[in-house]
Amino acid sequence: GIAVSDTGRYVCKASNAAGQSEAVAEVIVNDAGDDGGMIEMQQLSSSQGATVDLPCRLAPSDDMKWRKEGGSLPDRATQVRTALRIERVTVEDSGKYICTSQGRMQYVTLMVERLTVNPAKPKISITPSNTSPAIGDFLDVKCKVEGLTGRGLKVSWAKIGQSDMGDNVNGRATLMRIETVKRENEGLYRCTVETRAGTFYEDYTLSVSGSA
């Protein structure tokens, strides 16, 4: 259940290559007994441009509806069961939303922070030692990172869609080495750069000559 002590402001932060933003849900619990509104604690994992669901814990009814205080609902808003879903959320969607059912009311305050552009986005370039490797060849693939200085920089390799890159693949920091290229080495590899400013990546497609 939920108690008056659950009242508060819950913040979810999200970041990507473009920067970071926050979605904040303010939880208001009314202590007026059965006639008061209640709201469930909800953490919104959302950034600007994503989809958010505003919860309504009132009993469903034919007259249940959502409205926005001081304005109309966004045209991207739809009611999904009792929740209000807002797609491609923007800063302008911030405000107080009211859910009503059978004479009872519940408030949800949504605040979406403006996207902060990250000025420290690095330039990542991938250079293979052989652009058309064949089965049995030796291959080095270098991941070069430019535009970043200071500590806290971590570079790693992974193969998309697989838990490991393969027994014959050695990925250490900026260098991925394949001693003897095999047909099963084909696929999409990702060089991920983790910094204090965020996480960035560049992909590399390995095609083995002579394979189907």
Side-chain angles (χ1 to χ4, degrees):
I2 191 161
V4 176
S5 58
D6 292 327
T7 297
R9 191 168 177 263
Y10 299 83
V11 182
C12 177
K13 295 184 179 181
S15 63
N16 55 30
Q20 64 181 14
S21 60
E22 296 178 356
V24 181
E26 184 176 352
V27 174
I28 303 170
V29 180
N30 192 319
D31 193 25
D34 292 339
D35 293 331
M38 296 185 301
I39 191 168
E40 183 183 16
M41 230 178 0
Q42 174 104 357
Q43 183 176 359
L44 298 177
S45 299
S46 169
S47 61
Q48 189 171 245
T51 298
V52 296
D53 284 350
L54 305 184
C56 180
R57 299 299 294 173
L58 299 180
S61 65
D62 293 338
D63 66 348
M64 171 175 281
K65 65 179 179 179
W66 280 90
R67 60 186 174 90
K68 185 179 181 183
E69 187 175 78
S72 57
L73 292 175
D75 55 7
R76 291 159 282 100
T78 54
Q79 187 169 320
V80 180
R81 299 185 184 89
T82 61
L84 182 70
R85 174 168 296 173
I86 306 175
E87 299 182 0
R88 302 184 304 279
V89 68
T90 67
V91 176
E92 288 72 25
D93 295 332
S94 299
K96 181 177 287 186
Y97 292 80
I98 305 167
C99 170
T100 59
S101 177
Q102 297 177 327
R104 300 182 66 190
M105 302 175 69
Q106 175 186 286
Y107 299 85
V108 181
T109 300
L110 173 68
M111 185 171 68
V112 180
E113 300 287 354
R114 189 171 299 279
L115 188 68
T116 304
V117 176
N118 192 340
K121 183 179 180 180
K123 178 184 177 182
I124 306 173
S125 56
I126 295 179
T127 307
S129 60
N130 187 341
T131 56
S132 300
I135 294 174
D137 284 353
F138 171 89
L139 179 66
D140 268 353
V141 184
K142 295 181 180 179
C143 182
K144 185 178 180 181
V145 183
E146 299 177 280
L148 288 179
T149 58
R151 300 178 181 178
L153 178 67
K154 179 183 177 183
V155 182
S156 60
W157 283 92
K159 189 173 185 181
I160 303 301
Q162 296 190 21
S163 57
D164 60 73
M165 294 191 293
D167 296 337
N168 65 328
V169 182
N170 185 13
R172 289 187 178 179
T174 60
L175 178 65
M176 180 178 71
R177 174 167 292 175
I178 305 178
E179 296 288 350
T180 306
V181 174
K182 299 179 182 179
R183 189 186 303 270
E184 53 264 30
N185 292 136
E186 282 195 322
L188 183 64
Y189 294 81
R190 175 166 293 177
C191 173
T192 300
V193 180
E194 298 178 60
T195 73
R196 293 176 180 175
T199 301
F200 312 92
Y201 64 87
E202 186 72 20
D203 291 340
Y204 164 70
T205 300
L206 172 58
S207 298
V208 180
S209 298
S211 63

